[in-house]
Amino acid sequence: MLIGNHLIELDTVDSTNNYAAKLLLQTKLVNGTAIMTHFQTDGRGQRGSSWNSDPGKNLLFSLILNGHFINTENYFLLSKVIAIGINEAIEEISGQVGYVKWPNDIYMNEKKIGGILIENQWKGNLLEVAIVGVGININQVDFDELDNATSLALLGSKNYDVKEVMNKVFSKIEFYYNKLKKGDVEEINAIYFNHLLYGGQWKVYDSKNGRIEGKITKVMENGLIELKLKDKNRSTFDFKELSFIL
């Protein structure tokens, strides 16, 4: 097994992504290195948001992945395989259906159970290395004022072994990472769309031009999302240009 074969386990750290980035400045890490922690003091989410997690109750890790087969035009394929892998692992563990909420959240019962933050290091237009940060709610049941959060414990009414969940997630991510390395891009795109929250459904979204009604037709390999609108035109949106209304 490639992913997690080299595991660095920390009790507390500001952020596993920060730790990974600093480590990469000091040494060369083998592909698939995993850095997991029991608590993050400054966990980060997408768009500058924070990731709050009770100590020891959730799965928090970063992966070091080589990506020389990924370029600036198709870099979002890596996010797709990470999201598919996490979602399938959580589905198999919980016995419930999960969804990938574009661009990088994992949802069950229309509540967030996990998030992804990928920080890429480039060499020209090719991906030198990706630091893939992941947070998955496992045994936390109290999320203070976050009413849109859930966890495996809330879904299954029991506690789970965090490392068993981690190994399942690693295995699934590796399966799809290898597919990406082999060039199975059409299959990855199709599977991702099947996992996509509101994929192919008419929904109302908040956009840069106000509220719009549209149907997600695809998520491109550069991360842009395409919506078919009521006037039958199609529009694409970047990460900060479109928000879901849940």
Side-chain angles (χ1 to χ4, degrees), residues 1-11 16 19 23 29-38 59-64 132 161-168 170:
M1 188 162 168
L2 168 73
I3 293 179
N5 189 41
H6 181 214
L7 176 66
I8 300 170
E9 185 173 350
L10 306 170
D11 186 44
T16 54
Y19 185 92
L23 207 54
L29 296 174
V30 297
N31 191 24
T33 294
I35 299 157
M36 71 90 70
T37 187
H38 299 283
L59 178 54
L60 309 166
F61 67 85
S62 293
L63 299 177
I64 307 297
V132 180
D161 185 305
V162 173
K163 284 195 174 177
E164 283 184 13
V165 176
M166 178 182 74
N167 289 332
K168 180 81 166 179
F170 286 176

Side-chain angles (χ1 to χ4, degrees), residues 59-93:
L59 178 54
L60 309 166
F61 67 85
S62 293
L63 299 177
I64 307 297
L65 294 178
N66 293 341
H68 302 151
F69 46 91
I70 297 168
N71 59 48
T72 52
E73 299 298 315
N74 68 4
Y75 76 96
F76 197 73
L77 283 169
L78 181 60
S79 185
K80 287 186 176 186
V81 303
I82 301 296
I84 295 167
I86 294 169
N87 195 54
E88 285 195 359
I90 292 174
E91 284 184 331
E92 290 185 12
I93 292 165

Side-chain angles (χ1 to χ4, degrees), residues 16-34:
T16 54
N17 268 29
N18 287 350
Y19 185 92
K22 290 173 185 173
L23 207 54
L24 281 168
L25 291 175
Q26 301 166 10
T27 186
K28 185 174 176 63
L29 296 174
V30 297
N31 191 24
T33 294

Side-chain angles (χ1 to χ4, degrees), residues 209-224:
N209 300 316
R211 290 206 162 177
I212 58 171
E213 187 173 4
K215 180 167 67 174
I216 300 172
T217 50
K218 65 179 170 180
V219 174
M220 300 177 183
E221 291 165 17
N222 62 2
L224 297 182

